[in-house]
Amino acid sequence: MGYTSEEGYQEALKRIQEAKRIEDFELRLKGLGLTSIPSELWELEELKHLHLNENNLTYIPNSLKKLKKLTYLDLSNNLLNSIPDEIKSLSYLTSLYLEHNHFTEIPKSITDLN
């Protein structure tokens, strides 16, 4: 099923609330047609795997740095042309997927990852 932006946003909120309730370490927000990320996501500080692929995201907020325990982040198949420098504060990140976005060069924040 395809989601409109508003339907996808509401579904994302529902999934975020459920992940918070059960203290899940993985959140799948793939293919929801999101044009923005619900701010409630940044409250999931124990999150390790985040799937935001196949959406319509053009921007990842600096709040990404709050997810300090992330090891896996999939941002592929979006409309991104930059990544916030705060990504380098994700010291546990071992898997980062960015293919099929609108990057014209490798973001400096990516080259600074350890």
Side-chain angles (χ1 to χ4, degrees):
M1 172 189 168
Y3 290 89
T4 66
S5 180
E6 182 57 32
E7 290 170 339
Y9 194 86
Q10 292 305 316
E11 179 64 23
L13 283 174
K14 194 163 71 171
R15 292 180 189 184
I16 291 167
Q17 290 168 353
E18 179 66 6
K20 189 174 187 178
R21 186 182 70 75
I22 65 172
E23 298 179 6
D24 204 348
F25 295 114
E26 181 169 14
L27 181 61
R28 294 181 182 271
L29 300 179
K30 173 185 177 181
L32 296 180
L34 297 175
T35 56
S36 64
I37 299 171
S39 60
E40 291 82 354
L41 173 64
W42 314 123
E43 297 170 14
L44 300 176
E45 294 180 4
E46 299 299 315
L47 202 60
K48 292 185 180 181
H49 288 201
L50 178 57
H51 304 262
L52 284 166
N53 50 315
E54 297 181 24
N55 281 292
N56 296 311
L57 299 172
T58 58
Y59 172 75
I60 302 298
N62 295 340
S63 303
L64 177 67
K65 67 184 175 192
K66 293 182 179 180
L67 304 181
K68 294 184 186 310
K69 295 186 180 180
L70 272 187
T71 61
Y72 176 100
L73 178 58
D74 191 347
L75 296 170
S76 62
N77 295 293
N78 275 288
L79 305 171
L80 301 171
N81 59 22
S82 67
I83 295 291
D85 283 338
E86 284 73 14
I87 197 167
K88 61 187 168 194
S89 69
L90 302 179
S91 57
Y92 294 106
L93 192 64
T94 57
S95 298
L96 176 62
Y97 298 91
L98 296 170
E99 64 270 9
H100 303 289
N101 275 289
H102 292 211
F103 298 108
T104 55
E105 60 185 42
I106 297 172
K108 175 149 177 33
S109 53
I110 303 284
T111 61
D112 289 342
L113 286 172
N114 292 328

